[in-house]
Amino acid sequence: MILNKPVYKKLNSEFGNSILMVQRTERLDSKTAFWHFHPELELHYVNKGHGKRHVGNHISYFNNSQLLLLGENLPHKGFTDGITNNGMETIIQFKKDFLGDAFFEVPEMKNIKTLFEKANKGLLFNPIVKKEIGPKIEELVNYQGYEKIIKFLDVLHDLSLTDDYRILNPEGFNFEVEPQNTLKIDIIYKYVNNNFKSQIALEEVADAVSMTVPSFCRYFKRVTGKTFTKLVNEYRVVHATKLLQESQLGITDICYECGFNSFSHFNKMFKEITGESASKYRSNLKTLVQ
């Protein structure tokens, strides 16, 4: 299998700007999503859309909007599968020293410096923060130069003052961030993403990265901190949450649609990964306001 995308993503800010900002209203080809990392932090806001979050060891699905802050060299993959009518995705990438080596070392910047440190585990901000700060992020595209930097610092300051967020990798992230590892892991994740609805033979996925089954199992556990079986179950459960949100399928049908061949095993895995049963999850969706 040949991977035609780099695993280390080199980013270049626009001429005359110390941060890179991208806005889009159209869905990207899913083939452009790949497992990568970069030394820049990334602020990611979607006001109307849906997709899969894969940040470090965390995998989940969102169906409406999201606001993320990812730390430097935190591996991640894709995000938005689709943008709804009048929806927009805004991405800002910047280095932690984009204003100089010592700027965020002064006492007045302590909260923002702490925010950057927390972002190394991946931060998902909750609906109230998202609703308040998201529009400010989108509006940054209307400013230039000094004014843009000041407005961006205001955004970072606001984010640094809230504790209304979820840490996506609370136990930390033990992935070995090396180009050869991200290359193999990208191949593995793409294989699982394309085949999780079926039974995956270890021999097939190991062969995709030119490894024996025992070597593959040891390698995967060493670099991701989880077993391959756990990864597959996570993909299946995340897809189940998508179907629970977007379809009228019964829970039993969803179980088999996601690749599980045992309803009891599906229930066990769903509760283990999400913290609640599938029926409870669907019931809570009816009262959830994003």
Side-chain angles (χ1 to χ4, degrees):
M1 182 180 293
I2 299 175
L3 190 68
N4 59 6
K5 290 288 184 179
V7 292
Y8 169 83
K9 189 173 182 181
K10 181 174 177 57
L11 307 171
N12 295 300
S13 58
E14 297 176 354
F15 179 77
N17 292 278
S18 55
I19 62 177
L20 173 66
M21 183 172 184
V22 176
Q23 280 188 337
R24 49 178 168 250
T25 57
E26 296 180 355
R27 173 180 176 175
L28 288 180
D29 186 333
S30 61
K31 292 180 181 179
T32 64
F34 63 101
W35 184 247
H36 67 281
F37 64 94
H38 42 72
E40 293 81 4
L41 288 87
E42 181 169 317
L43 186 61
H44 190 106
Y45 174 60
V46 180
N47 63 6
K48 292 180 182 179
H50 56 86
K52 185 182 293 180
R53 304 182 188 100
H54 197 163
V55 179
N57 279 325
H58 173 89
I59 306 172
S60 61
Y61 179 78
F62 71 94
N63 180 27
N64 188 357
S65 58
Q66 72 167 0
L67 175 56
L68 291 169
L69 180 62
L70 310 180
E72 55 186 358
N73 294 320
L74 177 59
H76 54 282
K77 180 176 181 177
F79 289 121
T80 310
D81 293 335
I83 298 176
T84 55
N85 290 337
N86 300 317
M88 181 183 293
E89 178 179 37
T90 303
I91 302 170
I92 300 175
Q93 293 164 332
F94 59 99
K95 292 185 177 180
K96 65 179 182 180
D97 60 353
F98 74 100
L99 290 175
D101 293 338
F103 186 86
F104 291 106
E105 298 296 329
V106 300
E108 292 82 358
M109 295 293 113
K110 180 180 179 181
N111 288 338
I112 295 180
K113 179 184 177 182
T114 300
L115 176 72
F116 291 170
E117 293 170 352
K118 292 178 181 177
N120 289 329
K121 296 183 178 181
L123 302 180
L124 172 64
F125 293 92
N126 292 330
I128 294 177
V129 178
K130 182 173 58 181
K131 184 177 181 180
E132 177 184 349
I133 300 180
K136 296 180 182 179
I137 295 172
E138 290 179 334
E139 291 169 3
L140 288 171
V141 74
N142 299 321
Y143 299 97
Q144 295 296 327
Y146 171 83
E147 199 171 11
K148 185 173 187 176
I149 293 297
I150 295 300
K151 295 291 185 181
F152 183 50
L153 284 174
D154 284 342
V155 167
L156 294 176
H157 178 67
D158 289 344
L159 292 175
S160 74
L161 296 182
T162 183
D163 58 1
D164 194 13
Y165 57 77
R166 176 184 175 191
I167 298 176
L168 298 181
N169 292 274
E171 303 302 320
F173 183 66
N174 61 356
F175 202 103
E176 297 181 6
V177 183
E178 297 291 342
Q180 63 269 28
N181 284 326
T182 54
L183 174 65
K184 287 183 179 179
I185 292 299
D186 185 54
I187 292 172
I188 294 166
Y189 285 162
K190 284 183 176 178
Y191 188 94
V192 174
N193 189 60
N194 293 331
N195 297 281
F196 69 86
K197 295 181 184 180
S198 306
Q199 297 306 305
I200 297 178
L202 276 173
E203 291 80 4
E204 292 180 5
V205 69
D207 184 63
V209 288
S210 303
M211 301 177 77
T212 65
V213 170
S215 295
F216 168 78
C217 291
R218 289 193 299 268
Y219 164 80
F220 191 82
K221 181 65 181 293
R222 174 172 60 83
V223 299
T224 69
K226 67 175 74 175
T227 65
F228 179 72
T229 298
K230 183 176 182 181
L231 173 75
V232 175
N233 284 333
E234 287 175 345
Y235 262 78
R236 289 171 174 165
V237 167
V238 167
H239 189 61
T241 65
K242 177 180 187 294
L243 295 178
L244 287 167
Q245 293 180 60
E246 298 181 350
S247 79
Q248 299 301 316
L249 288 174
I251 294 177
T252 301
D253 292 330
I254 288 175
C255 159
Y256 297 110
E257 174 66 22
C258 294
F260 289 98
N261 55 19
S262 164
F263 188 64
S264 61
H265 183 56
F266 165 75
N267 281 330
K268 179 182 178 182
M269 290 297 99
F270 194 96
K271 189 167 186 178
E272 180 179 306
I273 291 170
T274 69
E276 56 191 5
S277 67
S279 58
K280 180 69 173 177
Y281 185 92
R282 173 169 270 177
S283 176
N284 288 341
L285 285 174
K286 297 178 181 178
T287 59
L288 180 64
V289 177
Q290 297 239 9

